[in-house]
Amino acid sequence: MKESNQYFIYVGNAYPHKNLKRLIEAVMNVNKKVKENIELYIVSSRNVFTKRLEKLIDKLNARDYVKLLGFVPDEKLKILYKKSLAFVFPSISEGFGLPGLEAMNAQTLVACSDIPVFKEVYKDVPVYFNPFDINSISDSMKLILDMDPEAREKRIEKGLDLAKTYSWSKMAKETLDVYLSLLTN
């Protein structure tokens, strides 16, 4: 597959609450407003939901804009993140939002839904949008396309700093401490 010079990336499953239909429509909107082809790379393991997504892409005539990459190994994924315009996370609901932190850790700009969990976890780092409004999603993508390089770099650095505050080992230690405190009481 020939890589586009400019692309947004989504990484995660293709479940309905991930809101990928609106994201695809937003990418198509963006392409109506710009001269060059802006693509969306979707990294998602193959399953019944990605098969439905393939049908949707065909139905929307979005093959020129959307590339389903399937499973991508971590080494290559980090490169895809880094070279992307941004990781776009249009979910309607989430439990935590680990992919956004993964993107920030890979020094990638994040655009995501303005749902409470993302605002709590990601703070003021991402470009937020209304996940129910295709124009809001495409406007945030266009904002990223037009972003001043210095402002972009500052936001990426802020995201990297935020991602570093989350740690699996720290969480495991804190969880163990809670269990140990329950045993001693």
Side-chain angles (χ1 to χ4, degrees), residues 61-183:
N61 294 317
R63 285 262 173 224
D64 290 342
Y65 309 114
V66 181
K67 308 295 182 221
L68 286 175
L69 303 184
F71 172 79
V72 173
D74 287 342
E75 314 79 55
K76 186 173 181 185
L77 183 58
K78 190 165 185 169
I79 294 166
L80 285 172
Y81 271 134
K82 183 89 169 141
K83 291 183 175 181
S84 72
L85 292 162
F87 168 70
V88 186
F89 206 2
S91 289
I92 294 167
S93 67
E94 284 295 328
F96 182 77
L98 193 56
L101 291 173
E102 180 180 69
M104 289 176 198
N105 195 51
Q107 299 178 36
T108 304
L109 193 60
V110 172
C112 65
S113 302
D114 60 0
I115 58 176
V117 68
F118 288 167
K119 289 190 168 203
E120 181 180 339
V121 173
Y122 303 152
K123 315 288 186 227
D124 62 345
V125 172
V127 173
Y128 287 103
F129 54 77
N130 177 345
F132 298 100
D133 183 349
I134 295 162
N135 290 321
S136 178
I137 301 169
S138 61
D139 288 349
S140 72
M141 296 167 90
K142 183 77 170 73
L143 180 102
I144 289 167
L145 278 166
D146 297 337
M147 191 176 281
D148 172 72
E150 189 175 311
R152 176 183 178 78
E153 194 53 41
K154 279 185 181 179
R155 198 179 282 248
I156 289 171
E157 286 174 22
K158 196 172 183 180
L160 183 59
D161 290 343
L162 176 68
K164 288 177 182 176
T165 66
Y166 291 93
S167 159
W168 285 113
S169 59
K170 179 181 172 187
M171 182 188 71
K173 184 190 176 325
E174 289 174 0
T175 302
L176 179 61
D177 289 346
V178 168
Y179 288 145
L180 291 174
S181 75
L182 291 173
L183 290 173

Side-chain angles (χ1 to χ4, degrees), residues 4-121:
S4 170
N5 285 336
Q6 296 201 70
Y7 62 92
F8 290 94
I9 190 168
Y10 167 81
V11 178
N13 63 51
Y15 297 154
H17 74 276
K18 298 297 185 172
N19 200 25
L20 297 180
K21 180 179 187 283
R22 287 189 185 103
L23 177 57
I24 292 167
E25 292 171 331
V27 167
M28 294 176 69
N29 274 357
V30 168
N31 275 284
K32 291 175 187 172
K33 298 174 184 176
V34 296
K35 293 179 182 166
E36 57 198 275
N37 191 37
I38 305 297
E39 293 183 334
L40 170 64
Y41 291 179
I42 297 176
V43 177
S44 184
S45 297
R46 303 281 179 201
N47 60 31
V48 68
F49 294 103
T50 53
K51 288 178 184 172
R52 289 180 190 167
L53 193 57
E54 285 175 349
K55 290 178 185 174
L56 176 66
I57 291 166
D58 286 338
K59 181 180 173 186
L60 295 173
N61 294 317
R63 285 262 173 224
D64 290 342
Y65 309 114
V66 181
K67 308 295 182 221
L68 286 175
L69 303 184
F71 172 79
V72 173
D74 287 342
E75 314 79 55
K76 186 173 181 185
L77 183 58
K78 190 165 185 169
I79 294 166
L80 285 172
Y81 271 134
K82 183 89 169 141
K83 291 183 175 181
S84 72
L85 292 162
F87 168 70
V88 186
F89 206 2
S91 289
I92 294 167
S93 67
E94 284 295 328
F96 182 77
L98 193 56
L101 291 173
E102 180 180 69
M104 289 176 198
N105 195 51
Q107 299 178 36
T108 304
L109 193 60
V110 172
C112 65
S113 302
D114 60 0
I115 58 176
V117 68
F118 288 167
K119 289 190 168 203
E120 181 180 339
V121 173

